[in-house]
Amino acid sequence: MFLPITTIAKVGSLEEAMLYANDVDYGLTAGFYGSEAESDWFFDQIEAGVTYVNRPQGATTGAWPGFQPFGGWKSSGSSGKNAGGHYYLPLYMREQIRTVIA
């Protein structure tokens, strides 16, 4: 089965929420809505390969073709096997692809 899964739980802080988010075996994509300072913290803490901040459409799934590679961390893989050809290779020189919608 390949589909996005969302879990909703009440937490006491962003730090507690991040513990839940990172306490999984997979790390393909992750999204977040917040201020600029919170967004910087999110990017530094999240264990996922394709990340989004304040993105209204597509929320937390799907890379933008031709702009982002699509590969994850942990059991989601980090080998770049989904690079889409040699044109995407330079985008894999970073551990994480970040998208911020201002």
Side-chain angles (χ1 to χ4, degrees):
M1 174 170 38
F2 184 77
L3 55 105
I5 297 173
T6 300
T7 302
I8 299 173
K10 186 174 182 176
V11 296
S13 67
L14 285 176
E15 290 79 10
E16 183 182 358
M18 188 60 69
L19 289 174
Y20 281 116
N22 288 334
D23 188 27
V24 296
D25 294 331
Y26 300 96
L28 185 58
T29 64
F32 180 79
Y33 289 90
S35 69
E36 185 175 342
E38 291 170 332
S39 298
D40 290 340
W41 177 85
F42 167 78
F43 283 134
D44 289 340
Q45 301 299 315
I46 194 66
E47 296 173 1
V50 181
T51 59
Y52 306 98
V53 168
N54 301 330
R55 180 179 176 193
Q57 70 282 5
T60 64
T61 60
W64 288 340
F67 181 71
Q68 293 175 304
F70 197 66
W73 290 11
K74 303 178 186 180
S75 293
S76 293
S78 59
S79 65
K81 63 185 177 185
N82 295 326
H86 67 279
Y87 296 106
Y88 282 81
L89 186 59
L91 295 175
Y92 274 97
M93 298 303 173
R94 292 188 58 100
E95 289 184 350
Q96 186 178 68
I97 298 299
R98 300 176 177 186
T99 299
V100 177
I101 307 298

